[in-house]
Amino acid sequence: EVQLVESGGGLAQPGGSLRLSCAASGFMFSHYAMSWVRQAPGKGLEWVSAIRGSAGSTYYADSVKGRFTISRDNSKNTLYLQMNSLRAEDTALYYCAKGRISETTREGFEHWGQGTLVTVSS
Amino acid sequence: QTVVTQEPSFSVSPGGTVTLTCGLSSGSVSSSYFPSWYQQTPGQAPRALIYSTNTRSFGVPDRFSGSILGNKAALTITGAQADDECDYYCVLYMGSGISVFGGGTKLTVL
């Protein structure tokens, strides 16, 4: 059974940093692209970032480019999102999502975690 | 910046058929955008329904189908049930690793 478990969320001050983690199990982690998707309270889903299965290639939404960094450790089956220069508008539930192919999340997001909440406030 | 458009809300009668659409603020949606669809009930993570325009995810009943209708991607639900009442999101792949979600459609079954 595929499982994705996010952690690392919490309260951060504007301009601060947080590092999210997503522990994956139940599939060959290195064979699949992974993404982060967020949802602000009461709002819709927003794609944030993606990384190909073998790591290396990374992709970002304009809203986070230059501030967030996605990475993965295939030896630990873990996905990360380093979030710097946080803003109030980054407040959201952050989901980890598994792609269907290695290169990109072009074929959509097959499995989702339950999310970790990030709140940016002074 | 490209905006992916969805109807903010839609209603369907129990047992009825509804088609939700997913368009672009500029241009037409084709299978080259690999449209996918997700269902989200309040307080829950999204669930994958359709990918690559018309392929159902594992375990999704055949009441749900995807297609291209005119210049938009479409999700059709036949035989609507009470537990189909939730939010539906589409995603389009823009190339170069970039995906964009639509704003979501709140479906009411009444």
Side-chain angles (χ1 to χ4, degrees):
Chain A
E1 179 193 1
V2 172
Q3 286 200 327
L4 301 170
V5 180
E6 302 93 338
S7 61
L11 177 64
Q13 291 196 335
S17 299
L18 278 176
R19 188 197 198 200
L20 307 184
S21 298
C22 170
S25 61
F27 64 101
M28 291 293 292
F29 183 68
S30 63
H31 289 192
Y32 296 93
M34 299 291 294
S35 264
W36 289 97
V37 176
R38 69 184 180 183
Q39 187 167 35
K43 302 298 184 182
L45 298 169
E46 180 188 13
W47 176 81
V48 172
S49 183
I51 184 168
R52 65 183 294 160
S54 59
S57 295
T58 58
Y59 314 97
Y60 299 94
D62 287 343
S63 57
V64 305
K65 196 176 297 182
R67 300 188 299 121
F68 290 10
T69 302
I70 191 172
S71 62
R72 63 193 297 161
D73 185 336
N74 287 342
S75 69
K76 296 182 178 179
N77 289 350
T78 303
L79 176 72
Y80 302 101
L81 186 67
Q82 177 67 44
M83 304 187 297
N84 298 331
S85 302
L86 283 164
R87 306 167 179 167
E89 54 265 35
D90 295 319
T91 294
L93 186 63
Y94 283 74
Y95 293 104
C96 163
K98 171 186 172 292
R100 297 178 187 274
I101 60 176
S102 175
E103 292 77 16
T104 70
T105 48
R106 180 188 72 194
E107 307 279 348
F109 313 105
E110 183 177 18
H111 294 98
W112 298 66
Q114 288 301 308
T116 186
L117 183 62
V118 171
T119 303
V120 183
S121 174
S122 55
Chain B
Q1 181 164 338
T2 302
V3 175
V4 177
T5 61
Q6 294 185 249
E7 300 87 357
S9 62
F10 226 114
S11 63
V12 61
S13 300
T17 296
V18 62
T19 296
L20 311 181
T21 67
C22 176
L24 285 169
S25 56
S26 177
S28 298
V29 177
S30 68
S31 59
S32 299
Y33 285 88
F34 297 90
S36 55
W37 292 88
Y38 304 84
Q39 179 188 57
Q40 188 181 34
T41 53
Q44 297 297 314
R47 170 199 180 198
L49 293 176
I50 301 287
Y51 66 98
S52 293
T53 304
N54 55 14
T55 305
R56 271 185 296 276
S57 288
F58 181 78
V60 174
D62 58 9
R63 302 189 298 107
F64 294 87
S65 62
S67 63
I68 298 292
L69 286 181
N71 62 349
K72 296 182 179 182
L75 173 71
T76 299
I77 307 171
T78 59
Q81 302 174 358
D83 59 5
D84 294 335
E85 182 166 298
C86 59
D87 295 328
Y88 292 85
Y89 294 91
C90 71
V91 173
L92 299 180
Y93 180 71
M94 299 302 179
S96 302
I98 306 298
S99 297
V100 179
F101 278 87
T105 297
K106 184 177 183 63
L107 181 66
T108 300
V109 180
L110 53 74

